[in-house]
Amino acid sequence: MNEIIKKLREQFESNLSEAKDMDSLESLRLDYLSKKGKLSDLMKELSKVPGDQKKEAGMLINSFKQEVISRYDSKKAQIIKFQEDLLIEAGESYDDSMPTERPIGSYHPITLVQRELEDIFESMGFDVEDYDEIVDDYHCFEALNIPKYHPARDMQDTYYLTSKNQLLKSHTSAAQNAILRKYGKALKEEGRPIRAVFPGRCFRNEAIDACHENTFFQMEGIMVDKDISISNLIYFMKTMLSQVFGKEVTVRLRPGFFPFVEPGFELDIQCLICEGKGCSSCKDSGWLELCPCGMIHPNVLKYGGINTEEEPYKYTGFAFGLGLTRLAMMKYGIKDIRTFNSGDLSSLSEFISR
Ligand code: FA5
């Protein structure tokens, strides 16, 4: 990994020195830092690294990524300054009474936490996938072992569209079938485990309060391979949470029912706003439902084209549906979920970061 990063660093430095204006700098950013860029490709290389070296390799990649971001930022500042100097030299009007510190835009806290999670899961060999917001009934429910008129549909008060069979995705699990189909071939033919996370916006006709919105984000994750068990699930959940919060957080696992997992669990996190004492953010319970999860039901694997019965292809897997918006509340100490969609810049612009 050291060798690969060394070569990529040389290439990056050479590309950076050739970037003379904002357009070429933007193509360099896309080339290295976008989802399909060289840094994402590098993350994918992690799946080839032997298990005991994965952690170190992941850290090397993350530190290289920070280096690329910081080099990009300095170059951007340099080009802006150069362009301003040119304007001054050319005698263009330049208003030196303008405040020098212009307000800088900021990323939304959900974008920040989503990107952080994507990095964490990529470093553990997961692919990051995108999925539609408008889906059909089959993908949102039937492919998840929830046939028409099943009572579990009542748990998600869904917005149906007038066009036939379409609806606003009520949970990210709606992408499970497509992801299983996309990666199933490589699982069967090359033995490559399916490991994917897919964040997305979800919609439900909710009674809104401090911890419920009608539009919120989840991040779904699945892993399918031979001999996947609940221990694998717990390992990934614990690693993810300790990295996101940078400290031990208190969680509890209790049985939960979802027709697409068996067994199913509710993973709750102790409320970090009131430290478990009870407040409006956690509906006075001291706990927040954060990440339901479980072992993927064999019917769901079958609908996704994965063989669960015949040897040698007998696969099992886990799935989780992380409440990304609630995770952002806990991480940034945001007491009311309504802040996220409020457009209230004084609350949201605290999160100035890349
Ligand atoms: C689901 O949506 C399942 N699809 C999750 C799942 C995936 C279970 C894979 C098993 C395996 P649930 O309705 O509980 O489950 O929502 C999951 C998480 O999304 C909740 O724990 C919560 O953190 C978040 N969430 C749900 N509804 C809302 C809402 N109205 N506002 C904000 N966050 C919400």
Side-chain angles (χ1 to χ4, degrees):
M1 187 54 72
N2 263 323
E3 221 20 62
I4 301 178
I5 292 181
K6 190 170 164 234
K7 285 211 180 94
L8 197 57
R9 181 181 285 115
E10 281 166 13
Q11 193 188 351
F12 172 74
E13 286 300 332
S14 144
N15 295 156
L16 191 71
S17 62
E18 283 159 17
K20 303 281 183 227
D21 53 30
M22 292 305 269
D23 286 346
S24 48
L25 192 67
E26 175 59 8
S27 11
L28 178 128
R29 189 188 69 77
L30 293 174
D31 206 16
Y32 283 85
L33 290 167
S34 67
K35 271 192 181 164
K36 301 211 178 329
K38 292 190 166 63
L39 266 299
S40 288
D41 291 345
L42 193 59
M43 280 292 188
K44 288 181 191 143
E45 291 292 311
L46 262 188
S47 57
K48 298 181 195 152
V49 173
D52 58 336
Q53 295 166 27
K54 265 199 173 46
K55 192 172 170 197
E56 195 189 340
M59 281 161 64
L60 279 177
I61 296 175
N62 274 329
S63 120
F64 177 54
K65 184 174 178 184
Q66 292 314 317
E67 182 186 329
V68 168
I69 291 172
S70 128
R71 298 282 294 131
Y72 162 85
D73 282 343
S74 336
K75 182 76 181 206
K76 189 172 169 186
Q78 207 182 326
I79 293 178
I80 291 173
K81 165 106 182 39
F82 177 71
Q83 287 174 342
E84 283 174 355
D85 287 349
L86 278 185
L87 279 180
I88 296 168
E89 269 172 38
E92 296 255 342
S93 67
Y94 186 81
D95 183 355
D96 61 7
S97 67
M98 288 281 282
T100 47
E101 295 219 341
R102 277 166 281 164
I104 311 168
S106 60
Y107 283 108
H108 194 279
I110 294 178
T111 306
L112 292 175
V113 85
Q114 178 182 322
R115 288 186 178 175
E116 191 176 345
L117 279 166
E118 287 176 359
D119 284 349
I120 292 171
F121 279 107
E122 274 183 329
S123 74
M124 297 194 284
F126 281 68
D127 294 295
V128 179
E129 286 288 338
D130 205 1
Y131 196 63
D132 304 336
E133 290 185 348
I134 295 178
V135 298
D136 59 20
D137 189 273
Y138 175 77
H139 286 91
C140 202
F141 298 118
E142 286 175 49
L144 291 166
N145 208 25
I146 313 178
K148 287 208 164 50
Y149 311 112
H150 191 287
R153 289 195 178 209
D154 294 345
M155 286 152 70
Q156 301 182 1
D157 195 350
T158 308
Y159 293 109
Y160 287 90
L161 303 182
T162 43
S163 53
K164 230 178 158 207
N165 257 332
Q166 294 205 303
L167 49 95
L168 294 181
K169 178 173 72 183
S170 56
H171 56 168
T172 41
S173 306
Q176 278 194 20
N177 185 268
I179 305 288
L180 290 173
R181 294 201 166 273
K182 176 170 178 184
Y183 290 104
K185 194 163 177 269
L187 172 71
K188 284 176 221 161
E189 293 176 6
E190 297 156 30
R192 183 180 189 266
I194 303 179
R195 274 177 298 200
V197 285
F198 27 107
R201 198 194 317 255
C202 305
F203 309 86
R204 292 183 198 174
N205 182 23
E206 292 277 7
I208 294 174
D209 59 28
C211 58
H212 290 87
E213 253 293 3
N214 55 21
T215 306
F216 57 95
F217 284 80
Q218 291 183 341
M219 180 182 267
E220 190 92 356
I222 54 174
M223 176 166 189
V224 180
D225 198 3
K226 293 174 188 143
D227 299 326
I228 294 294
S229 70
I230 296 170
S231 326
N232 299 99
L233 168 64
I234 293 174
Y235 168 80
F236 281 105
M237 294 296 91
K238 275 192 154 174
T239 310
M240 177 270 293
L241 287 172
S242 60
Q243 291 206 27
V244 169
F245 290 103
K247 61 175 182 184
E248 282 284 312
V249 285
T250 311
V251 295
R252 69 177 185 191
L253 207 59
R254 55 194 170 89
F257 173 70
F258 302 90
F260 36 98
V261 285
E262 179 56 40
F265 306 100
E266 288 281 3
L267 186 144
D268 302 335
I269 179 174
Q270 192 173 67
C271 181
L272 297 174
I273 308 270
C274 62
E275 293 176 340
K277 294 186 193 79
C279 64
S280 61
S281 313
C282 59
K283 279 197 161 173
D284 293 318
S285 69
W287 296 91
L288 209 66
E289 267 180 36
L290 186 70
C291 188
C293 50
M295 299 304 293
I296 305 179
H297 194 288
N299 285 352
V300 175
L301 291 173
K302 270 186 233 155
Y303 299 148
I306 309 287
N307 198 338
T308 55
E309 279 159 11
E310 296 155 38
E311 296 291 351
Y313 298 130
K314 200 172 168 187
Y315 296 109
T316 50
F318 66 73
F320 60 87
L322 177 70
L324 206 58
T325 307
R326 288 199 187 156
L327 185 74
M329 282 174 78
M330 292 296 107
K331 182 167 166 74
Y332 296 114
I334 296 172
K335 294 195 176 91
D336 195 318
I337 200 167
R338 289 165 282 206
T339 311
F340 291 110
N341 293 344
S342 67
D344 172 7
L345 287 181
S346 64
S347 310
L348 295 170
S349 58
E350 285 171 32
F351 306 99
I352 295 177
S353 167
R354 300 195 43 80

